Structure formats: structure tokens, C-alpha cells
Amino acid sequence: MKLILAVVQDQDSNRLSNALVDNNFRATKLATTGGFLKSGNTTFMIGTEDIRVDKALQIIKDNCKSRDQMVAPVSPMGGNADSYVPFPVEVEVGGATVFVLPVEQFHHF
């Protein structure tokens, strides 16, 4: 058994959730915040059998796309202003960051 942790952008959350349900995967959704852009993410915790991991990963890949977004940087309060860029920059956001972990035991009460 494996535990899949998938951190996805909020824009992809509902689409991924529906696709997981359509393919009989149970998932727990957690509201999370990214450290770099300080924007909302959703972290999915998916427990599944080893033989279904590849299917789950394909569903995540198909439903979580990266995109470019303009971001206004936060000014450095008391930090080093040498690297501060005072105008919006385009960054790639979205996609999914996925961890697949072994599960030693699983209980459902």
C-alpha cells in the first residue's frame, strides 16, 4: 500500500477531485499555502494499493497543468533590498508536486 501526497494549485483542485472520484480513488483534501508565492494550494492525501499508483499518478498529471502567471513581488521588510525586483514578474505556477510513500499499516475504523 502507498500514500500519495499531491500538492496542487487551487485552480486544479476541483477538476482533480472529480477525476479521482470518477476513478474510485478516495482522497482527503487539505487547504495549504505555498511558501514561494504565498498562494493557496490543495494537498491531496490518497491511499491506494501498489498496483493502482500509476493510475493515480496519471490522473494527477492529466488534471494538474502548469501555467504562467504574473506575480507582484513582496517588498523585503528589513531584508536585503539588493535582490528586490520592484515590478511584476512572470512565473510558472500550477502542476503538481507529488510524493509517493510506503505505508506500513492501514486501518479503517
Side-chain angles (χ1 to χ4, degrees):
M1 178 150 243
K2 300 287 190 227
L3 174 64
I4 300 171
L5 296 176
V7 181
V8 305
Q9 193 175 30
D10 281 343
Q11 288 177 309
D12 298 325
S13 176
N14 285 335
R15 184 174 48 251
L16 177 58
S17 182
N18 291 335
L20 290 169
V21 169
D22 290 345
N23 286 275
N24 297 314
F25 284 97
R26 290 184 176 185
T28 298
K29 291 171 46 173
L30 303 171
T32 54
T33 303
F36 176 63
L37 298 176
K38 309 284 191 270
S39 61
N41 293 324
T42 302
T43 299
F44 286 83
M45 296 179 6
I46 307 161
T48 189
E49 299 82 11
D50 291 358
I51 61 172
R52 297 193 70 209
V53 169
D54 289 338
K55 177 66 175 173
L57 293 176
Q58 189 62 50
I59 292 168
I60 295 168
K61 183 177 179 181
D62 291 345
N63 288 280
C64 300
K65 303 296 182 191
S66 61
R67 59 191 69 77
D68 292 331
Q69 177 177 320
M70 296 300 286
V71 175
V74 178
S75 66
M77 299 296 287
N80 184 356
D82 294 341
S83 62
Y84 175 65
V85 180
F87 50 87
V89 293
E90 189 172 49
V91 296
E92 185 177 300
V93 297
T97 301
V98 182
F99 303 90
V100 180
L101 308 165
V103 174
E104 196 169 306
Q105 291 185 21
F106 168 76
H107 302 280
H108 186 200
F109 300 111

